[in-house]
Amino acid sequence: MGMLYAGLEEHAMKWEGNRESDNVEDVRGSGGGGFGIGGGSIGVGTIVIALVAGWIFGINPLTLLGVLSDGGAPTSQQVPATKPPADDQMARFVSVVLADTEDVWREQFKQSGQTYRAPKLVLFRGSTPTACGQGRSVMGPFYCPGDQKVYIDLSFYETLRTRLGAPGDFAQAYVIAHEVGHHVQNLVGIMSKVDSMRASGGEAQGNALSVRLELQADCFAGVWAHHAQAARQILEQGDIEEGLNAAAAVGDDAVQRKSQGSIMPERFTHGSSAQRVSWFKRGLQSGSVDQCNTFEARQL
């Protein structure tokens, strides 16, 4: 199955001039390493698949390809974080998207009588220590529940555009909103419950739980987009298609077909392209977190 929106033209969101978040930490000057994995090297094809699969893991993706090192302890020193340069356009875009997620989720939590604690977003290059282990660019963007931070090497967006066929600002915003969705899951206790259930079950049960966790984060990303559009009209013509295309590009069936030429549903951990698109659209159309309960859904 190809991309749902093959030949998609790139569109720009309305983000210029919007509030930028104070929760972005720039550690790109720390001189992290490149694409080395566990002290060795891997082929380009494996790197591409790790990029695809890595960012769609919400819970500790650092176990991918054996990159979790020293029992989860950070393995290198890092310079203090700074604010991104004012003339860094991509960093500013990420900061604006993060600020928008803060505004939306703060209001959603407030409506339910809770207080939202925004995550930090760390810009790194190559590799960086995290509370979940050594993070590396090959994994793509990820969320670490141990320090409640989203990590991203901005070079991933070039891969998303040119190699995964998912161009455009909104496709890039979807990536951030998905990871922030995992932060929401962490705050409300969903992640810890899933971890406990996975620890007491087998591989099949663990994979099934992971699929539901990931699809819920997709739905939460849709909820963000719904409320951001209603409040600030951030979307242009074609932006929704960009988000749906990005969701389709990282479905398990698409990833498996690209990596091994065949599909093995029993090994799905994130959901098919159709499922990811469906749950993103559910959040986008409803704007309600109550519509995102993948754990009680009979059909995904």
Side-chain angles (χ1 to χ4, degrees):
M1 182 177 111
M3 297 303 170
L4 297 188
Y5 302 92
L8 191 69
E9 293 184 4
E10 190 165 347
H11 297 271
M13 286 172 54
K14 297 178 182 178
W15 66 272
E16 292 278 6
N18 291 350
R19 181 179 76 84
E20 296 181 30
S21 175
D22 293 327
N23 290 312
V24 177
E25 301 177 349
D26 191 347
V27 300
R28 289 175 291 177
S30 61
F35 287 113
I37 298 294
S41 61
I42 56 180
V44 173
T46 307
I47 289 175
V48 171
I49 299 308
L51 270 167
V52 176
W55 78 266
I56 53 181
F57 268 87
I59 299 180
N60 196 5
L62 309 182
T63 55
L64 280 178
L65 302 177
V67 297
L68 185 60
S69 56
D70 295 340
T75 58
S76 65
Q77 296 299 313
Q78 179 175 302
V79 299
T82 61
K83 289 186 176 182
D87 60 352
D88 188 329
Q89 187 84 344
M90 182 55 70
R92 286 184 55 236
F93 170 77
V94 168
S95 181
V96 167
V97 173
L98 183 64
D100 213 307
T101 66
E102 293 167 354
D103 294 341
V104 168
W105 287 112
R106 186 178 295 113
E107 181 61 26
Q108 294 301 302
F109 272 60
K110 181 180 179 180
Q111 290 179 9
S112 62
Q114 302 179 67
T115 301
Y116 180 65
R117 300 190 307 274
K120 299 288 186 180
L121 187 148
V122 180
L123 302 175
F124 74 100
R125 182 178 294 118
S127 65
T128 189
T130 82
C132 298
Q134 192 72 7
R136 299 185 189 275
S137 299
V138 290
M139 297 174 299
F142 62 91
Y143 173 73
C144 174
D147 54 24
Q148 298 189 9
K149 294 182 178 182
V150 173
Y151 291 84
I152 181 170
D153 185 324
L154 295 179
S155 64
F156 172 77
Y157 283 142
E158 182 65 16
T159 299
L160 187 68
R161 183 177 68 85
T162 62
R163 301 178 77 171
L164 303 183
D169 288 347
F170 191 62
Q172 297 168 357
Y174 159 80
V175 172
I176 298 171
H178 175 94
E179 298 306 330
V180 171
H182 285 309
H183 177 65
V184 172
Q185 291 172 322
N186 190 28
L187 292 181
V188 301
I190 294 173
M191 273 194 169
S192 58
K193 291 180 181 179
V194 170
D195 277 346
S196 297
M197 289 188 289
R198 290 201 296 193
S200 60
E203 180 180 358
Q205 179 184 354
N207 288 347
L209 287 168
S210 179
V211 166
R212 292 177 184 270
L213 193 74
E214 295 298 329
L215 294 179
Q216 185 179 63
D218 284 333
C219 188
F220 284 169
V223 170
W224 159 73
H226 174 97
H227 290 285
Q229 174 65 3
R232 288 168 287 282
Q233 293 77 50
I234 63 172
L235 302 181
E236 298 273 19
Q237 179 90 19
D239 282 338
I240 298 300
E241 286 77 7
E242 289 177 355
L244 296 176
N245 189 51
V250 292
D252 278 322
D253 48 349
V255 172
Q256 288 183 356
R257 187 178 290 106
K258 183 182 290 289
S259 64
Q260 61 195 30
S262 60
I263 300 174
M264 303 179 69
E266 68 276 9
R267 293 189 179 179
F268 282 8
T269 55
H270 309 96
S272 68
S273 294
Q275 288 171 333
R276 302 203 70 168
V277 167
S278 175
W279 282 94
F280 175 73
K281 288 176 66 175
R282 182 178 298 205
L284 176 66
Q285 293 169 354
S286 70
S288 172
V289 295
D290 293 336
Q291 294 297 313
C292 296
N293 191 346
T294 56
F295 294 94
E296 292 187 2
R298 291 188 176 182
Q299 284 192 324
L300 296 175

